[in-house]
Amino acid sequence: MIDLLQRDARIVPPLEESPLLRWLAELQDGRRWRESLREEVEPAAVVQAEQFPDVGRVRHERRRGDCELTRREERFRTLVAGSSDVVFQMTPDWSVMQSLVGRGSFAGEQAAGGEWMRRYIPSESRGALQSAIDAAIRGRDVLDLEHRVVRKGVRAGWVHTRAVPMLDHAGEVLAWVGMASDVTQRKEAEQALSAREQLLRTITENSADDIFILDRSHRLEYLNPAGMESLQRFFGGRTLAAEAVIGRTVSELLGDDDAARNSRSLSERVMASGRASHVEEVIRSGGRVRHRLTLRTPIRGADGEVVGLVGIGRDITQRKREETARLEGLDRQRDTLVREVHHRIKNHLQGVLGLLRLQVGRRPELAEPLEAVMAQVRAISGVYGLRGPQAGSQVDFGSIVALLVRGAAGSVRVQYEPPGGEPILLGEADAVPVALVVNELVANALKHLAPSRDPDGGQQVQVSVRARARAVRIRVRNAPARLPEDFDFARRAGIGTGLQLVSTLLPSRGAHLDIVQDGDAVLAELVLREPVVAPACTPAGN
């Protein structure tokens, strides 16, 4: 009887030494569960017979051990049934699947027997799985592999298979017990992420734009080939290794110059504000000027905080040159056309003046009004004659006044004080109206001179032009002269036909006219500001 118990003890090993228990504890990371079993159950389910002289007592202890084995097996089955994993058992050579239990997508069927490889494993994954099985058999080691699997009712998926050998007392493999976990969702997510990363890398590596990534400390984490070429051009074509660039700041690469400081300032502004920016930068290197258009976008971490930025830069130097050349060509074409049109207008106005002079000779009684009209036509003709290629569509105001003063018809010579300094330019839209206004003021000053008591003739008309603080002031003063009692130019009271024309022609913005009595003289003061006038250095489009 004792020999029988000893033989049975070899057949049923103590639970603590059971390979299945060790496998399940390792597979489920069940260290705490294994320790709890040790606390709940005595370590030996079947004891050596020589410790019990009474055979009945030994049988009782064996039955108690069998019950404990049954209880543990039931707990194990409950664990498997509640798990989403599949537990299987294979023959020592993996040729036959002996059991398959669990709730996986390919479980619930009878074990596939010798057809398990063909039924559950896609053809493209069988070679890798068989190689892993052969290696595990040779080394009697754990099989741990992720591979494709045919799932029940759905497309092929992925499982993580882990199996361990069950050994007898002689160390021979009795069976392989394993667990397969469905990892399809994770693998598909990894594959999708990998595909997106590959797509993004393909785009960045083949992009003609410079693409770079900075961390929060402004150190370079990534620079695509186009960006590396731009950096090498900055260094005069010298070849740079990636390890000499990655991990360094712009200041460390370019030196502490204006371009590096400006680039760092723009990047810091983006990372501090968390808002993207699109900026055109001018970079000067080796006496050359290059233009870059750079988009900087902040990168945020999982907590929403900015951890760096990604930038896309494009060299637009050639485009800027071509655009400048195109605009200059358009300007030349426009100026040529404008000069031709102005020349034709001036010629036509000269023809009109000739006709008016002819009428003055035929109708002397109309000489006075016709002379006034001729003065206005000369003013308009003079404006068109003064347009030149240097100023584009602008006209020098000082030259207009000088032309009008020289052409003024009267018995008194007009004294003219021209402006000093830079030319005073009038825009195209306001040149003709302002010229007509000045012409009318000079004509009125000559027309309304009162007789002088000075026997030497004290009549005088003075015209002066001054430019101060972005404003132009022209003063027309005639003496002796006196305004009517009811005259008020601001309210348009007591004004004649000439001043009514002046009031109509006066630009609504940037022009102001005052006419006042100044002792025994009448003073007309016209003040012009932007947008009627602009400094000579200001382009016409401003």
Side-chain angles (χ1 to χ4, degrees):
M1 180 65 68
I2 293 176
D3 293 340
L4 178 62
L5 290 175
Q6 291 174 340
R7 186 182 62 203
D8 288 344
R10 287 194 299 272
I11 295 175
V12 184
L15 285 179
E16 186 179 23
E17 299 176 2
S18 170
L20 179 60
L21 180 59
R22 293 200 309 272
W23 165 78
L24 186 60
E26 180 180 3
L27 204 63
Q28 298 290 341
D29 194 16
R31 186 180 298 113
R32 287 178 296 178
W33 176 73
R34 182 173 58 185
E35 291 173 356
S36 66
L37 283 181
R38 288 176 176 173
E39 293 172 1
E40 294 175 7
V41 185
E42 291 295 327
V46 181
V47 296
Q48 300 295 334
E50 57 265 22
Q51 297 178 5
F52 301 94
D54 184 76
V55 174
R57 184 178 177 186
V58 170
R59 289 178 175 175
H60 173 72
E61 293 296 332
R62 286 192 60 194
R63 285 195 298 271
R64 191 168 73 109
D66 291 342
C67 290
E68 186 62 31
L69 278 173
T70 302
R71 186 174 70 85
R72 293 187 180 188
E73 182 179 354
E74 184 61 32
R75 290 176 63 181
F76 170 70
R77 291 182 181 277
T78 302
L79 176 65
V80 172
S83 171
S84 60
D85 300 330
V86 173
V87 178
F88 59 88
Q89 181 173 321
M90 294 288 190
T91 56
D93 61 355
W94 284 75
S95 60
V96 177
M97 179 179 286
Q98 296 175 324
S99 66
L100 179 67
V101 294
R103 294 171 56 189
S105 55
F106 56 91
E109 303 176 356
Q110 294 182 351
E115 297 293 318
W116 69 271
M117 180 78 79
R118 183 184 62 81
R119 180 181 297 183
Y120 293 138
I121 308 301
S123 58
E124 64 272 14
S125 299
R126 292 172 189 169
L129 178 59
Q130 188 62 56
S131 298
I133 291 173
D134 293 342
I137 292 175
R138 285 194 303 270
R140 296 182 181 181
D141 200 0
V142 176
L143 171 71
D144 196 328
L145 181 68
E146 289 185 354
H147 58 87
R148 300 294 298 273
V149 68
V150 177
R151 300 192 299 173
K152 181 174 60 179
V154 294
R155 67 187 186 281
W158 286 83
V159 293
H160 177 203
T161 298
R162 182 177 173 85
V164 296
M166 293 182 62
L167 307 177
D168 61 12
H169 284 196
E172 296 297 324
V173 177
L174 296 176
W176 290 80
V177 179
M179 179 177 289
S181 304
D182 192 334
V183 294
T184 303
Q185 198 170 26
R186 174 174 63 80
K187 290 293 289 187
E188 289 179 348
E190 290 175 353
Q191 290 173 346
L193 179 60
S194 177
R196 287 196 295 270
E197 289 178 349
Q198 183 60 37
L199 175 62
L200 180 60
R201 183 167 294 275
T202 301
I203 293 173
T204 56
E205 296 293 314
N206 295 279
S207 173
D209 295 334
D210 304 345
I211 301 177
F212 59 91
I213 298 177
L214 300 180
D215 64 14
R216 192 62 183 86
S217 300
H218 296 268
R219 297 195 174 276
L220 201 61
E221 290 187 341
Y222 172 78
L223 184 64
N224 73 334
M228 186 68 74
E229 291 178 5
S230 297
L231 195 60
Q232 290 172 351
R233 282 197 301 270
F234 183 87
F235 285 102
R238 179 162 56 91
T239 302
L240 298 174
E243 54 269 18
V245 173
I246 302 302
R248 303 180 68 182
T249 65
V250 176
S251 298
E252 291 171 349
L253 290 171
L254 306 183
D256 190 21
D257 59 3
D258 291 340
R261 286 192 294 270
N262 183 58
S263 177
R264 182 183 179 92
S265 175
L266 292 172
S267 298
E268 179 60 32
R269 191 181 308 165
V270 169
M271 288 190 280
S273 66
R275 294 191 297 270
S277 73
H278 206 184
V279 178
E280 181 177 331
E281 301 175 68
V282 179
I283 301 176
R284 293 173 171 83
S285 172
R288 292 174 298 177
V289 178
R290 306 200 69 85
H291 297 263
R292 287 175 55 83
L293 194 63
T294 306
L295 170 65
R296 291 175 171 85
T297 304
I299 300 174
R300 299 184 182 275
D303 57 357
E305 294 296 321
V306 175
V307 296
L309 66 79
V310 58
I312 302 176
R314 176 174 298 178
D315 192 317
I316 59 172
T317 305
Q318 185 61 30
R319 191 180 80 184
K320 294 283 286 186
R321 291 172 181 166
E322 294 173 354
E323 182 68 13
T324 300
R326 187 182 70 84
L327 293 176
E328 289 175 350
L330 291 176
D331 285 343
R332 287 192 297 269
Q333 293 176 9
R334 183 201 61 190
D335 290 341
T336 301
L337 178 61
V338 167
R339 285 197 301 271
E340 179 63 23
V341 170
H342 290 171
H343 178 70
R344 291 175 180 266
I345 291 175
K346 181 181 178 182
N347 288 344
H348 292 325
L349 291 175
Q350 291 297 328
V352 172
L353 285 173
L355 293 175
L356 291 174
R357 291 191 190 98
L358 183 61
Q359 291 299 319
V360 169
R362 291 179 179 178
R363 304 286 298 272
E365 69 277 11
L366 298 178
E368 184 177 348
L370 288 178
E371 286 290 348
V373 173
M374 290 169 63
Q376 294 171 354
V377 173
R378 278 194 297 270
I380 297 173
S381 176
V383 169
Y384 284 105
L386 289 172
R387 297 179 188 271
Q390 292 80 11
S393 59
Q394 296 177 332
V395 181
D396 181 12
F397 180 61
S399 299
I400 290 179
V401 178
L403 180 66
L404 296 176
V405 168
R406 286 197 303 269
S411 58
V412 177
R413 183 175 178 273
V414 179
Q415 301 175 18
Y416 175 52
E417 187 179 350
E422 295 182 351
I424 302 165
L425 301 182
L426 299 183
E428 182 178 15
D430 298 313
V432 171
V434 170
L436 291 174
V437 168
V438 174
N439 177 77
E440 196 63 35
L441 293 177
V442 174
N444 274 355
L446 289 170
K447 179 180 178 180
H448 296 290
L449 279 171
S452 175
R453 299 175 183 176
D454 189 344
D456 296 330
Q459 294 177 322
Q460 58 180 355
V461 175
Q462 298 172 331
V463 178
S464 63
V465 179
R466 289 286 181 271
R468 289 193 183 91
R470 303 182 68 83
V472 178
R473 187 183 308 272
I474 177 172
R475 305 180 72 179
V476 180
R477 186 176 187 276
N478 62 329
R482 184 158 296 278
L483 293 172
E485 294 294 334
D486 60 344
F487 181 85
D488 188 342
F489 184 76
R491 294 189 296 108
R492 305 302 188 260
I495 63 176
T497 305
L499 290 182
Q500 288 178 358
L501 177 63
V502 168
S503 177
T504 303
L505 293 173
L506 201 64
S508 59
R509 293 176 60 242
H512 178 74
L513 176 62
D514 278 332
I515 301 176
V516 297
Q517 189 70 44
D518 183 22
D520 64 343
V522 173
L523 176 64
E525 187 174 77
L526 175 63
V527 179
L528 303 176
R529 293 185 173 85
E530 294 183 5
V532 177
V533 296
C537 58
T538 302
N542 266 11

